[in-house]
């Protein structure tokens, strides 16, 4: 029986002759392309996709890493849109506030997810950066030749249509990729963009900031609360002094949540006061914010405050 089985594989024994050594001839088809280990490691590090998918992509395109990367993004986007549809409606109360500064401009964005765990993922943090960069790029033509400050807001629908640069993907596509990778519902909720002329300064502060080791973003501050404070300044003000002053005022806005700026003549209303200049100064409650800034020759003219997960309408641009 064993000889018969072997004969079926190696060919029948001829002429009833005493069998000699069996000589088996195997037909070997050309092997499929095997992904080079170096290319595989490089592609996985660059894209963040799984080992299996990167290997599949390289084999599909015979080691062409560029085509493999494009295919991986396309597949991830398809999967992301599928997951986005399935996850739609799930609450996104966690997330991050991202604050980006560039010259005389600043951007704050809020991007939400379902859990605090995902908000600490590098891929999610990159989505926050992309939202901030897209907002900054969208408004870049309005920052020059200013005579006073500009403050603009964008809602979720407007943000989804933004690109992250001249050749960048739409933010909604970037979010789909992030959903596909991380498996949680997400939302790019809102953004504020501010630009000022030379005799103004933008103070900024992010509370609950993540440790630098958790974030690859050099020009971003990430946290749960954020504030921008717009100040009109004396012409000879030192930038270092303004940076410290702006940070302190922004800390106050985060901590005391004023609803309006008010004016220096307003009397202090104590802890229930909602006008910023009449509130007890967070870092020295013995004086008001107005009493803190007046001797320094600085005028607070406006502010923006974001709190991650808060229910709020997007205000109209001023």
């Amino acid at each position: 029986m064993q000889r018969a089985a072997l004969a079926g594989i190696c060919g029948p024994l001829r002429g009833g002759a005493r069998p000699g050594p069996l000589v088996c001839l195997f037909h070997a088809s050309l092997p499929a392309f095997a992904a080079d280990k170096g290319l595989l490691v490089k592609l996985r590090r660059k894209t963040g996709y799984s080992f299996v998918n990167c290997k599949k992509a390289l084999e599909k395109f015979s080691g062409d890493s560029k085509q493999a990367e494009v295919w991986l993004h396309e597949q991830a986007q398809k999967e992301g849109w599928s997951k986005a549809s399935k996850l739609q409606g799930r609450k996104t109360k966690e997330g991050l506030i991202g604050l980006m500064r560039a010259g005389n401009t600043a951007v704050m964005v809020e991007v939400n997810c379902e859990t605090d765990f995902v908000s600490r993922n590098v891929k999610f943090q990159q989505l926050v950066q992309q939202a901030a960069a897209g907002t900054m790029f969208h408004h870049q033509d309005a920052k020059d030749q200013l005579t006073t400050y500009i403050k603009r807001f964008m809602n979720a629908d407007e943000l989804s249509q933004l690109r992250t640069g001249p050749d960048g993907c739409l933010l909604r596509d970037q979010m789909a990729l992030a959903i596909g990778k991380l498996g949680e519902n997400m939302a790019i909720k809102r953004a504020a963009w501010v630009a000022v002329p030379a005799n103004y300064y933008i103070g900024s502060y992010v509370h609950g900031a993540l440790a630098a080791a958790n974030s690859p973003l050099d020009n971003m501050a990430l946290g749960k609360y954020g504030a921008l404070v717009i100040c009109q300044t004396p012409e000879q003000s030192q930038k270092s002094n303004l940076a410290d002053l702006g940070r302190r005022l922004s800390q106050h806005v985060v901590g005391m949540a004023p609803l309006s700026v008010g004016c220096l003549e307003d009397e202090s209303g104590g802890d229930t006061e909602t006008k910023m200049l009449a509130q007890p100064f967070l870092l020295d409650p013995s004086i008001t914010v107005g009493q803190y800034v007046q001797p320094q020759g600085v005028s607070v003219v406006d502010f923006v405050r974001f709190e991650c997960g808060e229910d709020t309408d997007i205000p109209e641009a001023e």
Side-chain angles (χ1 to χ4, degrees):
M1 183 178 292
Q2 183 179 8
R3 290 180 63 194
L6 288 173
I9 299 173
C10 302
L13 298 175
R14 296 183 178 178
R18 185 179 182 131
L22 293 175
V23 179
C24 300
L25 299 177
F26 295 96
H27 175 69
S29 60
L30 291 175
F33 176 84
D36 177 82
K37 185 176 180 180
L39 287 176
L40 182 57
V41 171
K42 186 176 180 181
L43 183 62
R44 191 181 181 197
R45 285 178 179 172
K46 185 176 182 180
T47 64
Y49 298 117
S50 70
F51 176 88
V52 172
N53 286 334
C54 288
K55 184 173 183 291
K56 181 178 180 181
L58 285 171
E59 291 176 349
K60 181 178 179 67
F61 295 100
S62 301
D64 189 319
S65 58
K66 289 185 178 179
Q67 290 190 62
E69 184 178 347
V70 170
W71 182 81
L72 280 169
H73 285 314
E74 288 175 349
Q75 295 303 114
Q77 186 168 310
K78 291 177 183 177
E79 179 65 16
W81 283 119
S82 174
K83 285 187 177 180
S85 298
K86 294 177 182 177
L87 298 175
Q88 190 174 15
R90 284 167 57 166
K91 293 182 179 180
T92 53
K93 285 293 187 179
E94 296 294 335
L96 289 172
I97 303 298
L99 194 153
M100 175 184 285
R101 299 180 62 106
N104 66 331
T105 62
V107 163
M108 261 199 324
V109 298
E110 179 182 357
V111 183
N112 301 121
C113 56
E114 295 180 48
T115 65
D116 185 61
F117 177 78
V118 162
S119 73
R120 295 177 179 275
N121 186 283
V122 170
K123 296 297 182 184
F124 181 82
Q125 293 172 17
Q126 288 173 340
L127 178 63
V128 181
Q129 184 188 39
Q130 289 163 342
T135 303
M136 190 75 79
F137 178 76
H138 179 72
H139 293 288
Q140 65 176 348
D141 294 336
K143 66 181 181 179
D144 301 321
Q145 306 299 321
L146 298 177
T147 58
T148 187
Y149 77 96
I150 301 176
K151 180 178 70 172
R152 295 177 178 173
F153 294 92
M154 302 187 76
N155 61 30
D157 290 338
E158 294 167 327
L159 288 166
S160 69
Q161 300 299 319
L162 294 185
R163 295 187 181 276
T164 56
D167 302 316
C169 296
L170 292 176
L171 276 176
R172 66 181 182 186
D173 294 336
Q174 300 286 4
M175 184 170 65
L177 288 171
I179 290 173
K181 290 178 180 179
L182 300 178
E184 276 199 8
N185 193 20
M186 299 175 193
I188 302 174
K189 182 177 180 180
R190 54 177 170 165
W193 175 86
V194 173
V196 297
N199 60 327
Y200 282 71
Y201 184 78
I202 305 172
S204 63
Y205 173 69
V206 169
H207 184 72
L210 300 181
N214 290 344
S215 173
L217 316 177
D218 296 331
N219 61 338
M220 288 283 294
L222 302 171
K224 297 298 183 180
Y225 301 80
L228 301 173
V229 176
I230 304 164
C231 302
Q232 192 167 11
T233 63
E235 293 183 4
Q236 303 303 321
S237 295
Q238 296 292 325
K239 290 295 183 183
S240 58
N241 295 338
L242 289 175
D244 184 60
L245 174 69
R247 176 181 173 82
R248 289 168 177 256
L249 292 173
S250 300
Q251 284 178 302
H252 176 90
V253 169
V254 165
M256 298 298 288
L259 300 180
S260 63
V261 173
C263 61
L264 293 174
E265 290 73 28
D266 293 329
E267 295 184 5
S268 176
D271 292 339
T272 60
E273 179 61 62
T274 61
K275 296 178 182 177
M276 179 181 175
L277 294 177
Q279 288 179 322
F281 184 38
L282 181 69
L283 303 180
D284 183 2
S286 67
I287 60 175
T288 65
V289 176
Q291 291 168 340
Y292 171 68
V293 299
Q294 190 173 22
Q296 304 184 57
V298 171
S299 299
V300 178
V301 295
D302 208 344
F303 64 86
V304 182
R305 181 185 185 273
F306 278 6
E307 178 179 340
C308 187
E310 66 182 337
D311 294 323
T312 182
D313 294 328
I314 306 301
E316 297 294 330
E318 297 182 6

